[in-house]
Amino acid sequence: ERSFDAFLLRSAIQAGAAGSMTYAFAASIRSSLRSFGEFERRVEATRLTLQPLARDMAALRRQALDMAGTVEFSPLALAETQKTLGQAGFSTNEVLKSMRNVSDLATAGLVDLAGATDININMMRSFSIPVHQSRDALDKMVKATQLTPLSMDELGTAMGYAAGTASVFNQRLDDSLILLGLVKPITKTASKAGTALGAAMAALQRT
């Protein structure tokens, strides 16, 4: 099976031999080759992290390429997201099932893909939310940004500060979203809102 980069290189040589290869086209080919090389390195990093079966690795690779045709993110960015989820302890199956949710959160929440990935990881791990319920949970977070003064970036920051306490005391996501929305106008910053929520939950547990 011919590799993609070898195919592009052969096409470039043939175009040059025919006298139709312009400087801009050559630059485009070089850029494509570099991007594909970076993509393959991300895929390999994901393989080393997850150590999946061959068929699962093929599914991960295919997912990154196929999704890039339907979302605003590149295969390279999507492969990086897969690697980050794997490094956070997600199984191969969890990574495959989480990718569309992360991409949609980034788009709906107006955050970059890396930010959406971190938010998804914190949310699922801190509130013990399984993958099959994560879509509903992420939808609630998007709704919270529409009903409170918190942007998605700020919500992610606040949850990061409150995450440890939420995990220890089994705090519900719904309650945390409501409380963060109420506390943010008082504390002014997302980090202080998350810290205040964490302190409040700890105090409640001591009473």
Side-chain angles (χ1 to χ4, degrees):
E1 182 181 4
R2 295 178 302 178
S3 64
F4 181 70
D5 52 348
F7 171 75
L8 284 177
L9 184 59
R10 193 186 294 66
S11 297
I13 293 172
Q14 290 172 347
S20 60
M21 184 177 184
T22 63
Y23 177 81
F25 181 69
S28 177
I29 290 295
R30 286 195 297 271
S31 177
S32 295
L33 288 171
R34 283 195 298 270
S35 295
F36 192 76
E38 285 295 324
F39 171 73
E40 291 296 340
R41 281 189 283 275
R42 293 294 193 283
V43 170
E44 176 61 12
T46 301
R47 186 189 69 78
L48 293 174
T49 299
L50 291 170
Q51 298 186 351
L53 297 174
R55 65 173 181 273
D56 293 331
M57 190 64 242
L60 287 164
R61 188 178 188 281
R62 185 169 61 251
Q63 181 188 57
L65 292 171
D66 290 347
M67 277 187 64
T70 60
V71 299
E72 61 186 70
F73 306 108
S74 69
L76 180 60
L78 294 166
E80 179 68 20
T81 297
Q82 291 175 332
K83 184 190 75 171
T84 301
L85 291 171
Q87 290 172 333
F90 282 52
S91 68
T92 301
N93 188 51
E94 287 177 325
V95 171
L96 289 168
K97 291 184 176 180
S98 296
M99 286 296 294
R100 181 65 64 174
N101 293 343
V102 172
S103 172
D104 289 348
L105 176 64
T107 302
L110 301 178
V111 293
D112 61 26
L113 197 57
T117 304
D118 290 340
I119 290 171
N120 181 73
I121 291 169
N122 284 335
M123 178 270 297
M124 290 181 64
R125 294 307 185 228
S126 299
F127 297 95
S128 301
I129 296 174
V131 172
H132 70 274
Q133 295 178 5
S134 63
R135 180 69 188 214
D136 181 57
L138 292 173
D139 286 344
K140 289 178 180 178
M141 293 179 67
V142 173
K143 189 68 174 178
T145 65
Q146 298 168 349
L147 299 176
T148 71
L150 288 160
S151 68
M152 186 57 70
D153 268 333
E154 290 175 327
L155 185 55
T157 298
M159 288 183 62
Y161 278 86
T165 312
S167 176
V168 171
F169 297 120
N170 296 317
Q171 181 75 8
R172 294 175 62 248
L173 175 64
D174 304 58
D175 296 336
S176 295
L177 293 175
I178 293 171
L179 291 172
L180 285 172
L182 293 173
V183 171
K184 169 59 167 48
I186 301 172
T187 62
K188 304 303 182 185
T189 69
S191 59
K192 289 181 179 179
T195 301
L197 176 59
M201 286 190 288
L204 287 172
Q205 292 297 320
R206 291 195 296 269
T207 60

